[in-house]
Amino acid sequence: AAAAGEDRIVVEEHIGSSNHDPDEVKNESSAKLTTTNNAALPTDDFFHLKVRVCLECNSCGYSRSKDELYRHLSIEVGNDNENDVWTVEQGLKQFFHSEKRDVKCEKCDDGKTATQTIEIISCPKALLLHFKRFIVTQELKPGNGKYDKESDGKSENKAAFEMVLKKNKAKILLEESLSITPFIGDKVKSPDGLYRLCGVVHHIGNTASSGHYTSCAKRKLAVASDDSKAAGGISDEKVAEEEWVFFDDRVGRKKSLDYVVDTEKNQRNCYLALYELR
């Protein structure tokens, strides 16, 4: 159960290129596809988030930008402290914040750094968020002795280490409704409505190579209106109601919204969150 790979497509480069690389965990075989591959997927009608990445020289002001297409966003989480709660909004702010890059300007000799900004230029119908819960750590392999610093690695008793993707169990508060307006470009129309939480995937375990997945999903129920009921239920008029359902293998149980977003276990294990524009 490894961390989700970056799903990014470079759509159009305006001037030069930038070093924008917001996702540290990548699947190189599928992530960096260009439009020449015609890599349209059936899900693109819904998961189609287009952003513009801009680099501006801190010396002469020369800027260059390119557009990128994302099918999901991988965002950071906070520290695993007992009382700290990380929010989705905090993760998005960190993803879209401006930052200083060490890059040589192609127009002036003095330019050694540039400010990178990223803004949304096309909003998706559905927003899929992946939380970066797994951290690369170095651990001692079972059955090995202590590391001998004075041996400079020449001792036969030198301990062997392995790289492990350890899980950050920081609590994440999933907002029921979410706005991405603060991250939209000035010339782009904000979407009508808010993004509403409609699905969550949990990873239960301590590492990326072990554990178990469960999920919670919102489903709509078609219920006859009061007028329809009074008429004997013959009318086609219906009122939509919704309920949350928890899934664990073959088991499904009805749950409340409080269970989905407020339960500490779910806050520490949420791994993917799906929002729908309404």
Tab-separated table of all heavy atoms in Angstrom, residues 5-11 20-23 31 43-44 46-53 66-74 95-96 118-119 122 124 126-128:
chain	number	residue	atom	x	y	z
A	5	GLY	N	0.977	7.851	-6.562
A	5	GLY	CA	1.944	8.517	-7.423
A	5	GLY	C	1.396	9.803	-7.977
A	5	GLY	O	0.190	10.023	-8.039
A	6	GLU	N	2.250	10.648	-8.402
A	6	GLU	CA	1.830	11.914	-8.980
A	6	GLU	C	1.220	11.662	-10.329
A	6	GLU	O	1.712	10.876	-11.123
A	6	GLU	CB	3.042	12.826	-9.111
A	6	GLU	CG	2.716	14.168	-9.725
A	6	GLU	CD	3.951	14.976	-9.964
A	6	GLU	OE1	5.037	14.410	-9.860
A	6	GLU	OE2	3.822	16.167	-10.261
A	7	ASP	N	0.108	12.305	-10.624
A	7	ASP	CA	-0.582	12.148	-11.893
A	7	ASP	C	-0.629	13.495	-12.555
A	7	ASP	O	-1.581	14.239	-12.434
A	7	ASP	CB	-1.988	11.606	-11.642
A	7	ASP	CG	-2.574	10.993	-12.901
A	7	ASP	OD1	-1.916	11.066	-13.929
A	7	ASP	OD2	-3.678	10.440	-12.824
A	8	ARG	N	0.433	13.837	-13.268
A	8	ARG	CA	0.588	15.187	-13.798
A	8	ARG	C	0.836	15.125	-15.293
A	8	ARG	O	1.545	14.267	-15.791
A	8	ARG	CB	1.756	15.877	-13.106
A	8	ARG	CG	2.077	17.253	-13.652
A	8	ARG	CD	3.163	17.897	-12.858
A	8	ARG	NE	4.392	17.138	-12.886
A	8	ARG	CZ	5.595	17.684	-12.826
A	8	ARG	NH1	5.722	18.970	-12.706
A	8	ARG	NH2	6.666	16.941	-12.851
A	9	ILE	N	0.241	16.048	-16.034
A	9	ILE	CA	0.472	16.154	-17.466
A	9	ILE	C	0.867	17.580	-17.781
A	9	ILE	O	0.169	18.528	-17.429
A	9	ILE	CB	-0.790	15.788	-18.265
A	9	ILE	CG1	-1.142	14.310	-18.036
A	9	ILE	CG2	-0.576	16.035	-19.744
A	9	ILE	CD1	-2.393	13.881	-18.745
A	10	VAL	N	2.008	17.760	-18.418
A	10	VAL	CA	2.422	19.090	-18.860
A	10	VAL	C	1.633	19.419	-20.114
A	10	VAL	O	1.752	18.740	-21.126
A	10	VAL	CB	3.932	19.136	-19.144
A	10	VAL	CG1	4.322	20.510	-19.657
A	10	VAL	CG2	4.716	18.795	-17.897
A	11	VAL	N	0.790	20.443	-20.027
A	11	VAL	CA	-0.117	20.756	-21.119
A	11	VAL	C	0.511	21.700	-22.126
A	11	VAL	O	0.502	21.458	-23.318
A	11	VAL	CB	-1.421	21.370	-20.562
A	11	VAL	CG1	-2.356	21.746	-21.694
A	11	VAL	CG2	-2.091	20.378	-19.631
A	20	HIS	N	8.959	23.358	-11.288
A	20	HIS	CA	7.840	23.024	-10.393
A	20	HIS	C	7.718	21.516	-10.236
A	20	HIS	O	7.636	20.789	-11.208
A	20	HIS	CB	6.550	23.589	-10.966
A	20	HIS	CG	5.340	23.193	-10.179
A	20	HIS	ND1	5.230	23.466	-8.838
A	20	HIS	CD2	4.212	22.540	-10.550
A	20	HIS	CE1	4.075	23.008	-8.416
A	20	HIS	NE2	3.440	22.432	-9.421
A	21	ASP	N	7.745	21.079	-9.004
A	21	ASP	CA	7.656	19.652	-8.724
A	21	ASP	C	7.004	19.460	-7.370
A	21	ASP	O	7.659	19.140	-6.398
A	21	ASP	CB	9.061	19.034	-8.726
A	21	ASP	CG	9.010	17.512	-8.695
A	21	ASP	OD1	7.890	16.978	-8.810
A	21	ASP	OD2	10.057	16.891	-8.538
A	22	PRO	N	5.667	19.674	-7.260
A	22	PRO	CA	5.025	19.691	-5.950
A	22	PRO	C	4.907	18.333	-5.297
A	22	PRO	O	4.711	18.240	-4.107
A	22	PRO	CB	3.643	20.265	-6.255
A	22	PRO	CG	3.386	19.883	-7.669
A	22	PRO	CD	4.720	19.937	-8.339
A	23	ASP	N	4.979	17.243	-6.062
A	23	ASP	CA	4.775	15.925	-5.482
A	23	ASP	C	6.089	15.173	-5.428
A	23	ASP	O	6.751	14.976	-6.426
A	23	ASP	CB	3.771	15.129	-6.332
A	23	ASP	CG	3.246	13.916	-5.605
A	23	ASP	OD1	3.844	13.580	-4.574
A	23	ASP	OD2	2.259	13.337	-6.059
A	31	ALA	N	3.342	9.553	-15.039
A	31	ALA	CA	3.039	10.887	-14.556
A	31	ALA	C	3.289	11.953	-15.609
A	31	ALA	O	2.416	12.760	-15.901
A	31	ALA	CB	3.859	11.192	-13.313
A	43	THR	N	-12.089	9.565	-16.952
A	43	THR	CA	-12.254	10.346	-15.723
A	43	THR	C	-11.929	11.823	-15.905
A	43	THR	O	-12.187	12.622	-15.001
A	43	THR	CB	-11.358	9.775	-14.613
A	43	THR	OG1	-10.007	9.687	-15.095
A	43	THR	CG2	-11.828	8.391	-14.189
A	44	ASP	N	-11.373	12.199	-17.064
A	44	ASP	CA	-10.963	13.592	-17.259
A	44	ASP	C	-12.134	14.563	-17.264
A	44	ASP	O	-11.955	15.758	-17.074
A	44	ASP	CB	-10.164	13.735	-18.563
A	44	ASP	CG	-8.730	13.258	-18.413
A	44	ASP	OD1	-8.321	12.988	-17.271
A	44	ASP	OD2	-8.028	13.136	-19.431
A	46	PHE	N	-14.208	14.745	-15.032
A	46	PHE	CA	-14.414	15.117	-13.637
A	46	PHE	C	-13.109	15.540	-12.955
A	46	PHE	O	-13.066	16.561	-12.288
A	46	PHE	CB	-15.036	13.941	-12.866
A	46	PHE	CG	-16.383	13.537	-13.371
A	46	PHE	CD1	-16.524	12.554	-14.333
A	46	PHE	CD2	-17.521	14.171	-12.894
A	46	PHE	CE1	-17.770	12.185	-14.808
A	46	PHE	CE2	-18.776	13.808	-13.361
A	46	PHE	CZ	-18.901	12.810	-14.325
A	47	PHE	N	-12.035	14.774	-13.137
A	47	PHE	CA	-10.767	15.042	-12.451
A	47	PHE	C	-9.834	15.782	-13.409
A	47	PHE	O	-8.889	15.223	-13.952
A	47	PHE	CB	-10.134	13.738	-11.973
A	47	PHE	CG	-11.026	12.938	-11.075
A	47	PHE	CD1	-11.790	11.899	-11.566
A	47	PHE	CD2	-11.105	13.238	-9.719
A	47	PHE	CE1	-12.621	11.156	-10.736
A	47	PHE	CE2	-11.933	12.515	-8.874
A	47	PHE	CZ	-12.695	11.472	-9.388
A	48	HIS	N	-10.116	17.054	-13.624
A	48	HIS	CA	-9.371	17.844	-14.597
A	48	HIS	C	-9.028	19.190	-13.966
A	48	HIS	O	-9.759	20.162	-14.121
A	48	HIS	CB	-10.208	18.024	-15.865
A	48	HIS	CG	-9.444	18.591	-17.019
A	48	HIS	ND1	-9.137	19.922	-17.120
A	48	HIS	CD2	-8.920	18.005	-18.136
A	48	HIS	CE1	-8.469	20.136	-18.248
A	48	HIS	NE2	-8.323	18.995	-18.877
A	49	LEU	N	-7.929	19.222	-13.237
A	49	LEU	CA	-7.481	20.444	-12.558
A	49	LEU	C	-6.269	21.004	-13.293
A	49	LEU	O	-5.219	20.364	-13.345
A	49	LEU	CB	-7.123	20.139	-11.105
A	49	LEU	CG	-6.510	21.291	-10.296
A	49	LEU	CD1	-7.525	22.412	-10.126
A	49	LEU	CD2	-6.039	20.797	-8.939
A	50	LYS	N	-6.422	22.178	-13.858
A	50	LYS	CA	-5.346	22.791	-14.632
A	50	LYS	C	-4.748	23.954	-13.848
A	50	LYS	O	-5.482	24.806	-13.332
A	50	LYS	CB	-5.887	23.287	-15.976
A	50	LYS	CG	-4.815	23.604	-17.019
A	50	LYS	CD	-5.470	23.933	-18.342
A	50	LYS	CE	-4.430	24.262	-19.417
A	50	LYS	NZ	-5.083	24.635	-20.697
A	51	VAL	N	-3.431	23.977	-13.732
A	51	VAL	CA	-2.754	25.034	-12.990
A	51	VAL	C	-1.706	25.693	-13.878
A	51	VAL	O	-1.250	25.116	-14.875
A	51	VAL	CB	-2.077	24.485	-11.702
A	51	VAL	CG1	-3.075	23.776	-10.822
A	51	VAL	CG2	-0.911	23.560	-12.042
A	52	ARG	N	-1.330	26.906	-13.498
A	52	ARG	CA	-0.259	27.622	-14.197
A	52	ARG	C	0.872	27.867	-13.208
A	52	ARG	O	0.676	28.471	-12.152
A	52	ARG	CB	-0.754	28.934	-14.773
A	52	ARG	CG	0.324	29.763	-15.481
A	52	ARG	CD	-0.313	30.745	-16.442
A	52	ARG	NE	-0.993	30.036	-17.521
A	52	ARG	CZ	-1.969	30.585	-18.270
A	52	ARG	NH1	-2.358	31.829	-18.036
A	52	ARG	NH2	-2.538	29.881	-19.228
A	53	VAL	N	2.048	27.395	-13.567
A	53	VAL	CA	3.245	27.558	-12.741
A	53	VAL	C	4.106	28.649	-13.362
A	53	VAL	O	4.404	28.615	-14.557
A	53	VAL	CB	4.044	26.233	-12.649
A	53	VAL	CG1	5.225	26.400	-11.708
A	53	VAL	CG2	3.154	25.096	-12.193
A	66	LYS	N	4.286	27.771	-17.397
A	66	LYS	CA	3.763	26.634	-18.137
A	66	LYS	C	2.507	26.132	-17.440
A	66	LYS	O	2.318	26.328	-16.240
A	66	LYS	CB	4.792	25.499	-18.252
A	66	LYS	CG	5.154	24.828	-16.941
A	66	LYS	CD	6.110	23.665	-17.188
A	66	LYS	CE	6.497	22.972	-15.879
A	66	LYS	NZ	7.417	21.856	-16.095
A	67	ASP	N	1.635	25.495	-18.203
A	67	ASP	CA	0.396	24.946	-17.676
A	67	ASP	C	0.568	23.454	-17.432
A	67	ASP	O	1.216	22.755	-18.217
A	67	ASP	CB	-0.757	25.169	-18.651
A	67	ASP	CG	-1.057	26.640	-18.852
A	67	ASP	OD1	-0.530	27.468	-18.085
A	67	ASP	OD2	-1.812	26.960	-19.783
A	68	GLU	N	-0.033	22.993	-16.346
A	68	GLU	CA	0.039	21.581	-15.999
A	68	GLU	C	-1.336	21.066	-15.633
A	68	GLU	O	-2.143	21.790	-15.049
A	68	GLU	CB	1.005	21.351	-14.831
A	68	GLU	CG	2.446	21.696	-15.159
A	68	GLU	CD	3.387	21.444	-13.996
A	68	GLU	OE1	2.899	21.234	-12.875
A	68	GLU	OE2	4.610	21.469	-14.218
A	69	LEU	N	-1.591	19.821	-15.980
A	69	LEU	CA	-2.867	19.182	-15.691
A	69	LEU	C	-2.684	18.140	-14.593
A	69	LEU	O	-1.814	17.276	-14.690
A	69	LEU	CB	-3.425	18.519	-16.956
A	69	LEU	CG	-4.655	17.622	-16.776
A	69	LEU	CD1	-5.838	18.447	-16.284
A	69	LEU	CD2	-4.996	16.914	-18.078
A	70	TYR	N	-3.506	18.229	-13.568
A	70	TYR	CA	-3.469	17.265	-12.469
A	70	TYR	C	-4.797	16.525	-12.396
A	70	TYR	O	-5.861	17.131	-12.549
A	70	TYR	CB	-3.223	17.969	-11.133
A	70	TYR	CG	-1.814	18.440	-10.922
A	70	TYR	CD1	-1.365	19.622	-11.491
A	70	TYR	CD2	-0.926	17.715	-10.145
A	70	TYR	CE1	-0.070	20.064	-11.293
A	70	TYR	CE2	0.370	18.147	-9.940
A	70	TYR	CZ	0.788	19.324	-10.516
A	70	TYR	OH	2.071	19.759	-10.319
A	71	ARG	N	-4.716	15.251	-12.099
A	71	ARG	CA	-5.926	14.465	-11.839
A	71	ARG	C	-6.143	14.270	-10.341
A	71	ARG	O	-7.198	13.817	-9.922
A	71	ARG	CB	-5.865	13.126	-12.567
A	71	ARG	CG	-5.877	13.275	-14.088
A	71	ARG	CD	-6.072	11.942	-14.781
A	71	ARG	NE	-6.128	12.121	-16.217
A	71	ARG	CZ	-5.086	11.934	-17.033
A	71	ARG	NH1	-3.917	11.576	-16.523
A	71	ARG	NH2	-5.214	12.113	-18.329
A	72	HIS	N	-5.137	14.560	-9.564
A	72	HIS	CA	-5.286	14.623	-8.103
A	72	HIS	C	-4.174	15.501	-7.554
A	72	HIS	O	-3.178	15.769	-8.232
A	72	HIS	CB	-5.236	13.222	-7.466
A	72	HIS	CG	-3.863	12.629	-7.406
A	72	HIS	ND1	-3.365	11.768	-8.364
A	72	HIS	CD2	-2.865	12.778	-6.498
A	72	HIS	CE1	-2.132	11.413	-8.051
A	72	HIS	NE2	-1.802	12.018	-6.932
A	73	LEU	N	-4.338	15.964	-6.331
A	73	LEU	CA	-3.314	16.766	-5.663
A	73	LEU	C	-2.782	15.995	-4.463
A	73	LEU	O	-3.548	15.468	-3.658
A	73	LEU	CB	-3.890	18.106	-5.190
A	73	LEU	CG	-4.398	19.071	-6.258
A	73	LEU	CD1	-4.902	20.355	-5.599
A	73	LEU	CD2	-3.322	19.380	-7.279
A	74	SER	N	-1.469	15.934	-4.356
A	74	SER	CA	-0.824	15.330	-3.188
A	74	SER	C	-0.399	16.453	-2.260
A	74	SER	O	0.441	17.284	-2.618
A	74	SER	CB	0.396	14.501	-3.615
A	74	SER	OG	0.004	13.349	-4.315
A	95	PHE	N	0.552	23.752	-0.517
A	95	PHE	CA	0.760	23.317	-1.897
A	95	PHE	C	0.880	24.518	-2.838
A	95	PHE	O	1.727	24.535	-3.730
A	95	PHE	CB	-0.403	22.423	-2.337
A	95	PHE	CG	-0.252	21.842	-3.714
A	95	PHE	CD1	0.299	20.587	-3.893
A	95	PHE	CD2	-0.662	22.550	-4.836
A	95	PHE	CE1	0.438	20.052	-5.166
A	95	PHE	CE2	-0.526	22.028	-6.103
A	95	PHE	CZ	0.024	20.768	-6.265
A	96	PHE	N	0.028	25.526	-2.631
A	96	PHE	CA	-0.034	26.653	-3.565
A	96	PHE	C	0.792	27.859	-3.128
A	96	PHE	O	0.769	28.880	-3.812
A	96	PHE	CB	-1.494	27.088	-3.752
A	96	PHE	CG	-2.312	26.136	-4.580
A	96	PHE	CD1	-3.158	25.228	-3.971
A	96	PHE	CD2	-2.216	26.145	-5.962
A	96	PHE	CE1	-3.918	24.348	-4.725
A	96	PHE	CE2	-2.969	25.265	-6.726
A	96	PHE	CZ	-3.820	24.356	-6.106
A	118	ILE	N	2.067	29.338	-8.180
A	118	ILE	CA	1.193	28.379	-8.844
A	118	ILE	C	-0.249	28.771	-8.576
A	118	ILE	O	-0.609	29.102	-7.442
A	118	ILE	CB	1.490	26.933	-8.374
A	118	ILE	CG1	0.497	25.952	-8.988
A	118	ILE	CG2	1.507	26.831	-6.870
A	118	ILE	CD1	0.834	24.506	-8.725
A	119	GLU	N	-1.077	28.787	-9.618
A	119	GLU	CA	-2.475	29.166	-9.471
A	119	GLU	C	-3.351	28.284	-10.354
A	119	GLU	O	-2.907	27.767	-11.389
A	119	GLU	CB	-2.678	30.639	-9.835
A	119	GLU	CG	-2.338	30.976	-11.274
A	119	GLU	CD	-2.499	32.450	-11.582
A	119	GLU	OE1	-2.596	33.242	-10.633
A	119	GLU	OE2	-2.524	32.807	-12.783
A	122	SER	N	-8.200	26.271	-14.231
A	122	SER	CA	-9.385	25.517	-14.640
A	122	SER	C	-9.787	24.599	-13.499
A	122	SER	O	-8.976	23.799	-13.027
A	122	SER	CB	-9.098	24.694	-15.904
A	122	SER	OG	-10.223	23.924	-16.274
A	124	PRO	N	-11.883	21.608	-11.457
A	124	PRO	CA	-12.466	20.296	-11.768
A	124	PRO	C	-13.879	20.159	-11.218
A	124	PRO	O	-14.279	20.876	-10.301
A	124	PRO	CB	-11.508	19.333	-11.060
A	124	PRO	CG	-11.069	20.104	-9.849
A	124	PRO	CD	-10.987	21.551	-10.287
A	126	ALA	N	-14.689	17.326	-9.804
A	126	ALA	CA	-14.406	16.543	-8.604
A	126	ALA	C	-12.943	16.735	-8.232
A	126	ALA	O	-12.070	16.745	-9.095
A	126	ALA	CB	-14.703	15.059	-8.832
A	127	LEU	N	-12.686	16.912	-6.949
A	127	LEU	CA	-11.337	17.174	-6.452
A	127	LEU	C	-10.886	16.001	-5.585
A	127	LEU	O	-11.480	15.719	-4.547
A	127	LEU	CB	-11.322	18.469	-5.636
A	127	LEU	CG	-9.983	18.899	-5.032
A	127	LEU	CD1	-8.968	19.197	-6.128
A	127	LEU	CD2	-10.173	20.121	-4.140
A	128	LEU	N	-9.840	15.310	-6.052
A	128	LEU	CA	-9.302	14.169	-5.315
A	128	LEU	C	-8.009	14.584	-4.635
A	128	LEU	O	-7.077	15.054	-5.290
A	128	LEU	CB	-9.043	12.994	-6.262
A	128	LEU	CG	-8.469	11.721	-5.630
A	128	LEU	CD1	-9.409	11.157	-4.578
A	128	LEU	CD2	-8.184	10.671	-6.703
